[in-house]
Amino acid sequence: MTTATPDPTVATAVTSEPATSESGPTASRAGEPTDTVGGEPTEVVGDVATSGPAASTDEVGTSTVDEGESAFRPAPTGASHRRGLFTKGDRVQLTDPKGRKHTVVLEPGKQFHTHRGAVEHDGLLGRPEGIVVTSTGGTDYLALRPLLVDFVLSMPRGATVVYPKDAGQIVTYADIFPGARVLEAGVGSGALSCSLLRAIGDHGQLISYERRADFADIARRNIETFFGGPHPAHTIHVGDLAETSERDIDRVVLDMLAPWDVVDAVSAALVPGGVVCAYVATTTQLSRTVETLRGHGTFAEPAAWETMLRDWHVEGLAVRPGHRMVGHTGFLVTARRMADGVTPPVRRRRPAKGSLPDTTDSPTTTDATGTTAITDSAEVL
C-alpha cells in the first residue's frame, strides 16, 4: 500500500455536510447526482471529493488508499502555524531558567533584547521547536510555540478574558462539536472564541454578538493573530443578541452581564436538545440566570457550578500544594432545550430551608418520599 501524490490537475470539491454512505464505488450523497472529473466518477469521501478508485475498508474499519488514488485534505485553519520548523512570522515563546516567558514574532535579521543579552531571530528560523538558544549574555532560553493558554493570558485585552480553566469546561460541558452552529454573546477580547473555533473547525459556524464595537475590533485582531488570518467559520456582529433572527442553532454560549434578558431569543434560536451555557461572575447573576431558565418552560433543569484550579509543587519527596491558585473566576450554568410544547418534569428535590416563601399557614401533605405539597395551591415543591 502506498499513498498517492495529489494530482494538481484534478479538482476537489469541499463541502460542509457529511457524506451519506451508499453502496458502490461511485456513491454520492442521497438525492445528489454523482459528479465526474475528466470522464471518471468522483466519490465523496468525508468532506472531500476524490476521483479514481475508492478507498477500501477492512473488517475492523481501517481505511486504506488504493494504488493510484488521488486524495487531498486541506489543513484546518491555523494548523500550519502550529507545527513544523520555525518560519518568518511565527510566534515563539522563549522561557528563561527562572520560568519567565517572552513571546517574539520571528523576522529575519532581527534580535530579541533582554537585560541578559540578545537572541538572534536567525538562530531560530528554520529550526524545530524544543531547541535551546543562548543569548549574547550567556543565558539559555527554551524555544517553543506558545499554546492557546499562553496566548490567551498574554494577548491584548479589551474586556476581561474567559480563563482557560473555564473555556475548557465550556467546550466540554456545552458539548461543542466539529461542524456545530454556535451562537456567542459577549465576544470580549476573543479568548473564548478561539477555543470555540478550534472545537467547531472550518465547517462549523460561530456567530458572535458584541455590543461594543471597540471590543469587537480587539477580538477580531486577536483571533486573526492566533489563527494566522480570518477564520472562515467566524462572523462577528456588533449588536444585541436579543435582536438576533438566527435559527437552528446547536449551542449558545453567553458571557454577558444579564443573560436572563436574552433567554427568549436563545430559546427561539436553539434546536430541540441544544445546549445553552452561561458564564456569570456573581451569585446574584447566577441565581437570576438559573431561575429564569427554570421558569421559562422550554428548558430542562439547569446545572450550575464553579471550578477552582490549584497547582502542585513536586520536587523529589517535597510534594505539596502551590502557594497560589486560580480561585473563583466565574460560575457556569448549562441547560438543555426541550421540544416545543413539552412541559418540564416537576422537580422532585426537597428545597433547602428558607429558600422558598414561608407556607406554614397552608395545609400540606407529605408523600412516602418526603416530598411536601401545598394542598390549597397544588404547588409541588
Side-chain angles (χ1 to χ4, degrees):
M1 180 190 72
T2 60
T3 302
T5 303
D7 186 353
T9 64
V10 179
T12 59
V14 180
T15 66
S16 60
E17 296 183 3
T20 300
S21 176
E22 295 183 357
S23 61
T26 59
S28 65
R29 292 178 179 82
E32 295 183 10
T34 301
D35 296 330
T36 59
V37 178
E40 191 168 342
T42 300
E43 181 191 15
V44 177
V45 180
D47 288 337
V48 179
T50 60
S51 63
S56 60
T57 304
D58 60 21
E59 294 180 356
V60 296
T62 302
S63 180
T64 59
V65 179
D66 295 335
E67 186 74 24
E69 180 185 357
S70 175
F72 173 72
R73 285 185 181 277
T77 300
S80 60
H81 297 273
R82 309 299 304 158
R83 61 164 69 102
L85 304 179
F86 290 134
T87 60
K88 177 183 176 181
D90 279 354
R91 301 175 73 86
V92 178
Q93 187 178 78
L94 300 177
T95 306
D96 69 14
K98 290 188 176 181
R100 291 175 295 203
K101 298 176 181 179
H102 312 271
T103 301
V104 299
V105 179
L106 294 182
E107 294 289 342
K110 288 193 173 182
Q111 294 178 324
F112 167 67
H113 289 270
T114 74
H115 67 288
R116 294 182 177 274
V119 175
E120 298 284 347
H121 288 206
D122 291 341
L124 293 165
L125 290 168
R127 301 185 66 185
E129 289 190 75
I131 62 172
V132 174
V133 292
T134 303
S135 70
T136 55
T139 300
D140 291 334
Y141 289 87
L142 174 63
L144 294 165
R145 286 186 173 91
L147 303 176
L148 176 56
V149 60
D150 302 314
F151 178 78
V152 164
L153 296 178
S154 63
M155 70 185 190
R157 300 186 184 184
T160 302
V161 300
V162 174
Y163 273 76
K165 75 178 182 70
D166 297 313
Q169 295 217 16
I170 290 171
V171 169
T172 301
Y173 281 88
D175 191 40
I176 309 297
F177 58 89
R181 298 190 70 230
V182 181
L183 195 59
E184 179 190 22
V187 67
S189 299
L192 180 57
S193 299
C194 289
S195 294
L196 296 175
L197 287 168
R198 266 193 167 182
I200 66 174
D202 292 353
H203 299 301
Q205 188 177 13
L206 176 62
I207 306 164
S208 301
Y209 279 82
E210 173 57 56
R211 290 181 176 179
R212 293 184 52 170
D214 54 339
F215 286 175
D217 290 338
I218 293 172
R220 186 180 292 107
R221 288 195 298 269
N222 285 334
I223 293 168
E224 292 181 2
T225 297
F226 180 74
F227 286 102
H231 198 288
H234 194 209
T235 305
I236 299 181
H237 299 287
V238 178
D240 194 339
L241 178 65
E243 301 172 359
T244 186
S245 59
E246 296 292 339
R247 296 295 182 267
D248 297 324
I249 297 295
D250 299 304
R251 305 290 185 259
V252 175
V253 180
L254 306 175
D255 176 18
M256 53 190 298
L257 184 63
W260 50 87
D261 287 342
V262 297
V263 169
D264 287 339
V266 169
S267 177
L270 276 174
V271 298
V275 180
V276 56
C277 180
Y279 176 80
V280 294
T282 68
T283 55
T284 52
Q285 289 174 301
L286 173 67
S287 175
R288 188 164 179 181
T289 301
V290 169
E291 295 301 337
T292 302
L293 289 170
R294 183 178 288 154
H296 193 267
T298 61
F299 293 95
E301 178 65 15
W305 72 96
E306 68 171 334
T307 303
M308 307 288 188
L309 179 64
R310 182 174 69 180
D311 62 353
W312 277 70
H313 171 87
V314 181
E315 189 171 347
L317 297 178
V319 181
R320 56 173 174 75
H323 295 303
R324 295 187 296 177
M325 67 178 293
V326 180
H328 173 77
T329 50
F331 299 102
L332 291 175
V333 179
T334 59
R336 302 290 299 274
R337 175 68 159 88
M338 297 189 302
D340 292 333
V342 176
T343 303
V346 177
R347 294 179 62 213
R348 305 294 293 180
R349 183 170 55 193
R350 182 180 299 173
K353 186 176 285 188
S355 62
L356 296 176
D358 186 13
T359 58
T360 54
D361 294 336
S362 302
T364 60
T365 60
T366 303
D367 61 18
T369 63
T371 302
T372 301
I374 303 173
T375 56
D376 60 350
S377 63
E379 179 182 1
V380 178
L381 303 181

